[in-house]
Amino acid sequence: MSNYMQGEIIAPDKEFVSIQSENGNSLLFSIGTDGVFYLTEETPNSGTGWQRSNLSNGLSRYFKEGSSIVAKTFAVDQNTIDSSFSVVVAVSAANEDHLFIASAHARNDDSNI
């Protein structure tokens, strides 16, 4: 076999859900074995074809500085008509559980996750 690259972009995570973006790319939401909520998205113009984003980092601003956040579970639902999606994620911080909801979100080349 020639012209291949071995790598690990998508690790065997604790939980994951896959949907498709408006432009046809795969969006893989997951909770890693490290307790972090991730989005791994297909990016055809990149070197590996995938980009992984830590979505837990964006949630950390809602808690006291230095608090560690652990994603517990999540759900993703997609509207088949316009490809918009909603995400619900439960996290634990400072021994308390919190629920975050993002609804009717669109993922295209211009949007920021």
Side-chain angles (χ1 to χ4, degrees):
M1 181 183 271
S2 62
N3 198 19
Y4 73 96
M5 180 177 69
Q6 180 178 350
E8 184 179 297
I9 299 298
I10 303 172
D13 288 332
K14 179 179 162 186
E15 178 180 353
F16 79 92
V17 172
S18 174
I19 63 172
Q20 196 170 36
S21 70
E22 184 178 298
N23 58 8
N25 294 331
S26 296
L27 301 174
L28 306 172
F29 292 90
S30 64
I31 295 176
T33 55
D34 56 359
V36 174
F37 185 48
Y38 291 106
L39 169 62
T40 305
E41 56 187 314
E42 184 178 8
T43 53
N45 296 330
S46 69
T48 62
W50 296 92
Q51 179 180 347
R52 192 169 199 187
S53 302
N54 178 335
L55 299 181
S56 290
N57 281 343
L59 301 177
S60 65
R61 70 174 188 236
Y62 295 100
F63 303 101
K64 184 185 283 188
E65 190 172 329
S67 295
S68 63
I69 298 171
V70 177
K72 300 274 205 148
T73 190
F74 72 97
V76 178
D77 184 48
Q78 187 168 31
N79 182 327
T80 57
I81 296 170
D82 64 5
S83 297
S84 66
F85 59 90
S86 298
V87 179
V88 177
V89 61
V91 300
S92 181
N95 294 324
E96 293 181 346
D97 292 335
H98 303 270
L99 185 67
F100 289 89
I101 302 169
S103 59
H105 189 71
R107 182 68 179 135
N108 53 41
D109 293 334
D110 298 329
S111 66
N112 183 359
I113 198 63

